[in-house]
Amino acid sequence: MELKKLFTSESVSEGHPDKLCDAISDAILDECLKQDKSSRVACECYATTNHIIIGGEITTKAKVDYRKVARDVIKEIGYDNVRYGLDYKTCKIDVYVKTQSLDIALGVNKQGAGDQGMMFGYATNETKGYMPLPIVIAHKLVRIATQKRKEGSFKWARPDMKSQVTIDYTNPNKPKIQSILMSVQHDPSFKKREFKNYIYNEIMIPVVKSFNMNTNFKHYINPTGKFVIGGPKGDVGLTGRKIIVDTYGGSSRHGGGAFSGKDCTKVDRSGAYMARYIAKNVVAAGLASRCEVQLAYIIGKADPASVMVDTFNTNKIPEKLILEAILENFKLQPAEIISHLNLTDPQFKALASYGHFGRNDIHVRWEDLDKVEDLKKYLSKA
């Protein structure tokens, strides 16, 4: 019996209850930043049946109607009917927001990190966007399915969806799709066979072909039989609970900190974006085929406590020289990261679903490859 080398990643749609909460938290952050770029935001959201709770610490000059922002997000996602378990028009919204702790503010005001912690960034040359293949396919499946639902061509579909993609890496030079799973919430009056055929023929197959991958994969669609009860009625949602979906689908290590609802004085977010920026430029410059960067910070201190690089034996020059290149070409203090990556711009709601990295539908500064030429110079130093 052949033992295959299989790796799996998952994604969820914007209608998933956790992603709904991420979107509300990030929409509130964006609204604060639109009016006051120095806003300090740590916004959390909880969603259950027709009830939203917004809490956290927000210090800002902005005047934000938190309930309106939340209702706008819920409406845009498509929860507009009480039968779905959440209706933007009628749902109850409670707000419990206070200002940032003065003790935390002391360190941030001195340009230090807003908290301790470690963050990882990752890049690989296996896809055009320098992202792992399983998570990119998984994201595209639920993104296309959601797009078709909103256009009206995907009959009976409701907002809550999940995907899971397993890749066979037994031959690392020719990976294959082993299986694809999609669970899609639907109306109770749906026609099961027609619904499943649509998912397979109009979503799975076109997405797989867009990556020039094999179409003879195993497929699973709503394997429990039906998925009528979903969204916040089927499962409560919380901000920051899909950290692997947000990053690299498990292909890289994770520091544990979530992104959504946090302004970028929180190094959970800014440090992770900078680590991705570094790793992507290292791989694009040809210094390695895969690269993982870890940054770590101490609350109130500006310089990182540590910087680590791991290329998984794919490096073309010594890792010591790659680390030297990183330290010489990237500014790593929180205030410098925020400035260089434009992290006071309101841009975060668009990232709340379908990943924070490798996006080709939106432009974010940390995906730029503007350090490639500077890093290529180190190839001649080896």
Side-chain angles (χ1 to χ4, degrees):
M1 179 180 174
E2 180 188 9
L3 293 178
K4 295 182 178 180
K5 184 176 182 180
L6 306 177
F7 189 86
T8 301
S9 294
E10 70 160 351
S11 184
V12 298
S13 71
E14 62 198 54
H16 186 281
D18 293 332
K19 281 288 138 201
L20 167 71
C21 290
D22 285 345
I24 291 172
S25 294
D26 274 335
I28 288 171
L29 169 61
D30 280 352
E31 191 58 37
C32 290
L33 293 174
K34 284 177 187 176
Q35 302 179 44
D36 178 9
K37 287 185 176 293
S38 63
S39 295
R40 304 280 170 77
V41 179
C43 181
E44 312 293 342
C45 182
Y46 170 96
T48 188
T49 306
N50 223 33
H51 192 177
I52 302 291
I53 299 174
I54 299 168
E57 296 77 44
I58 299 178
T59 301
T60 182
K61 297 175 183 175
K63 304 297 181 184
V64 179
D65 184 339
Y66 299 117
R67 290 179 177 85
K68 182 180 185 304
V69 171
R71 292 189 195 279
D72 288 346
V73 169
I74 297 166
K75 179 182 179 181
E76 181 183 340
I77 289 174
Y79 284 112
D80 55 5
N81 191 316
V82 72
R83 291 182 300 150
Y84 299 169
L86 184 66
D87 181 358
Y88 78 94
K89 301 183 294 294
T90 64
C91 66
K92 182 181 180 183
I93 301 179
D94 293 321
V95 178
Y96 303 97
V97 171
K98 56 184 179 178
T99 56
Q100 185 182 62
S101 159
L102 293 176
D103 292 346
I104 293 175
L106 281 173
V108 181
N109 292 341
K110 294 178 181 178
Q111 306 299 305
D115 201 353
Q116 70 178 48
M118 66 283 191
M119 309 85 218
F120 288 92
Y122 180 75
T124 170
N125 64 2
E126 68 175 308
T127 64
K128 291 179 181 179
Y130 297 94
M131 286 288 288
L133 183 60
I135 189 65
V136 175
I137 297 176
H139 281 323
K140 190 167 184 179
L141 287 165
V142 285
R143 192 171 71 245
I144 295 299
T146 296
Q147 179 183 322
K148 290 181 178 296
R149 171 182 65 84
K150 289 184 171 182
E151 291 171 350
S153 59
F154 190 2
K155 290 192 297 183
W156 305 298
R158 289 183 176 181
D160 193 359
M161 308 178 187
K162 301 179 78 171
S163 66
Q164 186 168 288
V165 176
T166 299
I167 300 293
D168 180 353
Y169 284 105
T170 306
N171 179 352
N173 296 317
K174 194 174 181 180
K176 299 185 298 182
I177 299 176
Q178 174 78 8
S179 65
I180 294 179
L181 161 66
M182 289 194 74
S183 295
V184 180
Q185 186 190 13
H186 55 80
D187 292 339
S189 60
F190 85 128
K191 294 180 180 178
K192 187 174 182 179
R193 178 173 293 182
E194 186 177 340
F195 189 72
K196 286 190 171 186
N197 286 341
Y198 185 91
I199 292 172
Y200 178 74
N201 292 309
E202 302 300 326
I203 298 171
M204 287 185 176
I205 293 299
V207 167
V208 166
K209 286 183 176 179
S210 74
F211 288 92
N212 296 316
M213 298 293 290
N214 59 295
T215 56
N216 60 336
F217 54 86
K218 298 176 184 177
H219 67 279
Y220 307 90
I221 298 170
N222 288 2
T224 63
K226 67 175 184 177
F227 184 11
V228 174
I229 301 171
K233 185 177 181 180
D235 192 8
V236 299
L238 290 171
T239 299
R241 208 159 54 171
K242 285 290 178 285
I243 58 176
I244 301 303
V245 171
D246 285 342
T247 51
Y248 308 100
S251 292
S252 170
R253 286 170 282 191
H254 197 295
F259 302 155
S260 289
K262 299 178 182 179
D263 76 88
C264 284
T265 62
K266 282 76 172 173
V267 285
D268 281 341
R269 188 163 213 164
S270 52
Y273 290 170
M274 176 53 80
R276 161 64 177 176
Y277 177 56
I278 295 169
K280 185 176 181 181
N281 275 270
V282 166
V283 172
L287 305 189
S289 300
R290 295 170 60 202
C291 180
E292 183 182 73
V293 174
Q294 186 204 52
L295 304 177
Y297 289 89
I298 297 168
I299 188 169
K301 302 296 183 182
D303 290 323
S306 65
V307 182
M308 182 277 295
V309 62
D310 187 349
T311 60
F312 310 96
N313 298 316
T314 69
N315 49 304
K316 304 303 187 291
I317 62 175
E319 284 187 348
K320 183 177 180 180
L321 187 55
I322 295 176
L323 179 59
E324 179 184 317
I326 290 169
L327 295 175
E328 289 179 352
N329 287 276
F330 297 91
K331 296 180 179 180
L332 301 177
Q333 293 188 357
E336 295 171 330
I337 294 172
I338 290 169
S339 175
H340 188 72
L341 299 183
N342 302 329
L343 297 181
T344 58
D345 291 349
Q347 58 190 308
F348 301 108
K349 176 178 167 291
L351 296 162
S353 299
Y354 316 120
H356 292 245
F357 308 118
R359 298 284 293 270
N360 59 13
D361 56 323
I362 55 177
H363 174 258
V364 287
R365 183 71 177 87
W366 54 92
E367 291 295 317
D368 287 350
L369 294 174
D370 55 333
K371 294 288 186 178
V372 167
E373 295 306 315
D374 292 329
L375 295 177
K376 281 182 177 179
K377 297 173 184 176
Y378 290 83
L379 289 168
S380 62
K381 295 183 179 182

